[in-house]
Amino acid sequence: IQWLETLAGFECKGIVLANEVIDAMPVHLFKIGAHGEILEGCVKQQDTDWVIEYRPPTTPELIDAVTKLQTSLD
């Protein structure tokens, strides 16, 4: 293991593991509804709390990606 402050001038044949990079990546949260429909989780404020509200997806790419995932699992 080698800890780096920067990747400048660093050559690597292997894997660069960066802590909390995955946590900072934008992702779509989804679930399959009671009738098989794809629903996207969106954060909204409700009174003084933040809650997840599931609704129809806002992007066609999400529907395509979930459909492909479901097909690969069959």
Side-chain angles (χ1 to χ4, degrees), residues 53-74:
E53 174 182 79
Y54 286 93
R55 56 186 181 209
T58 58
T59 57
E61 294 84 5
L62 177 61
I63 297 169
D64 294 343
V66 174
T67 302
K68 286 179 187 175
L69 178 62
Q70 287 176 310
T71 303
S72 72
L73 296 175
D74 289 340

